[in-house]
Amino acid sequence: MSLAGKTIIMSGGSRGIGEAIAVRAARDGANVALLAKTTEPHPALPGTIHTAAAAIEAAGGHALPLVGDIRDDAFVLDAVARTAEAFGGIDIVVNNASAIDLSSTRDVTMKKYDLMNDINSRGSFLLAKSCIDHLAAADNPHVLTLSPPISLDPKWFKTATAYTIAKFGMSLVTLGLSEELRELGIAANSLWPRTAIDTAAVRNVVGAGLTTHSRTPAIMADAAYEILVRPSRECTGNFFIDDDVLEEAGVTDFSIYLNGGEESELALDFWVEPKGPHDPTLSLH
């Protein structure tokens, strides 16, 4: 299977992992609608909805940049309608938009707490909810949310409880929709990286020193692609890790995703356990 002619609606996607997923799909000739606010580049976060749209077109796809706020119900409903009208339907929802603040509970402001939950969990719920009728009419419909496996081990909450709550809220969207929409044949899955991924957003929050301990966004893009071409009725309710997906697809050389450094120097991402004794031990937590 391929994503040729499929229509993807994605929250965010102006840069980083979201853009990489969109461009990978565009190489098949997919249509991609991007819902984002980024009309002007941020000083520390290069890339806008327009540069991402240009990259999608250059890769062979068709882009529909829709400028607005994922927290705005009216904007999301209009964006869904415009996407379906432009491309004749919607096959795939990618919940990519996410706000991050790693402050402790004592230090995080309630404004930032609300921002993270409104964008991360509420935004994912709203976009998926708004697309259900279109997805039900598609022949291989998927909702893919970039969020981690849910674990109630207290250690995952120790560093940044507010952020963890917001990301696990996205994962609860996957858990709920996978059951609620199963009979409609709509798949709902989550995807998360095993290691740190080198994006401008991560460098802005964690620091540039993480660069050589990271993989490139291409590993998440390739893993997302492998999930989205699977039959939706046979692939739902999963919390996938990027390199597990690619191993199952037959990938054996992961050095192509290195961003400098060595495999042994990679940092594990949030909420991820090492696979074995020889895995990297450096952690973002």
Side-chain angles (χ1 to χ4, degrees):
M1 294 182 68
S2 81
L3 297 182
K6 300 294 185 183
T7 295
I8 300 171
I9 187 167
M10 175 187 292
S11 61
S14 296
R15 58 181 74 93
I17 292 171
E19 182 185 12
I21 291 173
V23 169
R24 176 66 185 87
R27 283 160 47 191
D28 273 10
N31 310 309
V32 186
L34 301 175
L35 281 59
K37 295 168 58 179
T38 50
T39 56
E40 300 293 332
H42 185 281
L45 302 171
T48 69
I49 190 172
H50 302 300
T51 59
I56 290 166
E57 296 279 349
H62 300 91
L64 179 63
L66 298 167
V67 178
D69 193 329
I70 193 66
R71 296 171 293 175
D72 182 338
D73 296 10
F75 162 68
V76 172
L77 290 172
D78 179 64
V80 168
R82 290 173 63 186
T83 300
E85 181 180 3
F87 299 124
I90 295 173
D91 301 280
I92 295 165
V93 173
V94 177
N95 289 312
N96 163 74
S98 182
I100 178 171
D101 188 313
L102 302 181
S103 299
S104 67
T105 299
R106 176 179 288 153
D107 294 332
V108 72
T109 65
M110 291 312 296
K111 181 178 181 180
K112 185 57 72 71
Y113 177 95
D114 290 340
L115 177 72
M116 287 192 288
N117 280 278
D118 284 349
I119 292 176
N120 300 4
S121 48
R122 187 184 189 278
S124 297
F125 183 86
L126 173 61
L127 183 56
K129 166 185 168 62
S130 303
C131 291
I132 290 175
D133 288 345
H134 297 292
L135 293 171
D139 60 4
N140 193 42
H142 282 263
V143 177
L144 183 64
T145 300
L146 303 189
S147 64
I150 296 174
S151 170
L152 298 184
D153 188 327
K155 69 182 181 182
W156 300 128
F157 293 81
K158 180 180 179 180
T159 302
T161 295
Y163 179 55
T164 302
I165 290 170
K167 292 305 291 188
F168 280 3
M170 296 176 74
S171 298
L172 287 172
V173 171
T174 290
L175 192 64
L177 294 185
S178 66
E179 286 303 305
E180 185 176 354
L181 305 181
R182 187 184 296 272
E183 292 186 2
L184 295 176
I186 301 172
N189 297 288
S190 283
L191 174 65
W192 196 246
R194 183 173 305 282
T195 72
I197 302 296
D198 184 43
T199 66
V202 169
R203 275 181 258 130
N204 192 45
V205 173
V206 181
L210 190 66
T211 298
T212 56
H213 301 291
S214 304
R215 285 170 169 161
T216 67
I219 190 169
M220 285 288 283
D222 288 348
Y225 180 89
E226 292 296 335
I227 294 166
L228 296 174
V229 297
R230 294 183 181 186
S232 61
R233 290 185 178 274
E234 301 171 14
C235 176
T236 193
N238 301 287
F239 290 94
F240 290 112
I241 299 296
D242 56 0
D243 55 15
D244 286 341
V245 174
L246 294 176
E247 281 184 1
E248 189 175 340
V251 176
T252 57
D253 181 10
F254 287 89
S255 66
I256 60 173
Y257 301 115
L258 287 174
N259 198 57
E262 303 291 337
E263 286 282 344
S264 60
E265 299 174 339
L266 291 171
L268 290 171
D269 207 282
F270 300 98
W271 307 293
V272 180
E273 299 278 9
K275 290 176 68 175
H278 302 296
D279 272 12
T281 56
L282 182 63
S283 175
L284 296 187
H285 272 273

